[in-house]
Amino acid sequence: MTPANNIDTSQMKGNVSPEVKLALLNSLAQPGHISHSTGKPFRGFKAEFVSRMQPTEASVLSKTEEPDKLEGRIVFEVIVDEDMFNEVGTMHGGCLAMLIEICSPMPIYILGASTGACGTFGVQQSLNIVFHSPAVPGDKLRIVCTTLTLGSRARSGRCEVWNVTRHRLVASAVYINMVPSESSKL
């Protein structure tokens, strides 16, 4: 995936505007930088993961439990490859956590940008993952992330990773994302 201003956002399903979809895709494109240790160009390992992910849906929907409330939803698909494995030949939990961490702020951005509540990504404050079943080479995973709450500083959501090939849940997660203060005290 190489986001650019000329990308066709109509290929991504969902009711989010093309402008929000384009901003979302462009946020995933990280420019390379020069490594401090080697002095050579470096894009980072996140860029490698992002290049394999295919966004399939970006939506703002009414919550099932509270129809007057809205939720953001983003869906990505990715094929499990050998370099994502642990020593027993299944997808490494750290690799799965990275995919979840990349995708989880997206529905927050979608909801905020679409409703005018906020249009920032923020930073992860916590991420709690439960691993349910393994994924193996060639499995197609569907990563579905939705918002739970959208406050002025703290926002939360959930993420489920489904194995489309084997029809089972691979992992589920809940997370808290926050907007950092203007001036950090650290």
Side-chain angles (χ1 to χ4, degrees):
M1 180 175 60
T2 310
N5 287 335
N6 62 356
I7 194 166
D8 181 9
T9 59
S10 68
Q11 299 305 309
M12 189 188 316
K13 295 177 185 174
N15 62 1
V16 173
S17 74
E19 294 79 21
V20 171
K21 288 177 183 177
L22 184 61
L24 178 76
L25 294 175
N26 280 325
S27 74
L28 291 171
Q30 289 188 329
H33 65 277
I34 302 299
S35 169
H36 294 290
S37 62
T38 65
K40 296 179 182 176
F42 177 71
R43 288 185 48 206
F45 57 88
K46 178 180 176 183
E48 179 62 30
F49 280 87
V50 169
S51 71
R52 301 174 192 191
M53 297 166 40
Q54 290 299 314
T56 61
E57 179 189 347
S59 298
V60 174
L61 307 166
S62 292
K63 284 188 171 280
T64 304
E65 299 79 14
E66 288 288 333
D68 291 341
K69 304 254 183 199
L70 298 174
E71 71 179 7
R73 174 182 161 97
I74 185 79
V75 180
F76 284 92
E77 291 183 347
V78 66
I79 304 293
V80 178
D81 208 349
E82 286 85 11
D83 62 350
M84 298 176 173
F85 292 170
N86 58 25
E87 63 279 356
V88 296
T90 61
M91 189 171 194
H92 193 286
C95 178
L96 195 51
M98 179 70 174
L99 288 173
I100 292 170
E101 198 277 332
I102 292 169
C103 298
S104 61
M106 302 297 167
I108 292 170
Y109 174 78
I110 289 168
L111 181 58
S114 297
T115 62
C118 67
T120 59
F121 282 97
V123 295
Q124 292 292 57
Q125 190 174 27
S126 71
L127 179 61
N128 184 13
I129 303 172
V130 176
F131 300 99
H132 301 279
S133 65
V136 297
D139 284 354
K140 179 190 244 184
L141 302 182
R142 178 174 293 127
I143 305 160
V144 181
C145 297
T146 57
T147 56
L148 291 172
T149 62
L150 185 63
S152 61
R153 292 249 324 153
R155 300 88 64 94
S156 63
R158 66 178 162 249
C159 188
E160 293 179 341
V161 180
W162 288 92
N163 188 324
V164 176
T165 307
R166 301 180 191 286
H167 307 285
R168 61 185 181 196
L169 184 63
V170 175
S172 57
V174 292
Y175 55 89
I176 298 173
N177 178 289
M178 67 177 288
V179 178
S181 61
E182 294 283 328
S183 61
S184 177
K185 303 288 186 206
L186 297 176

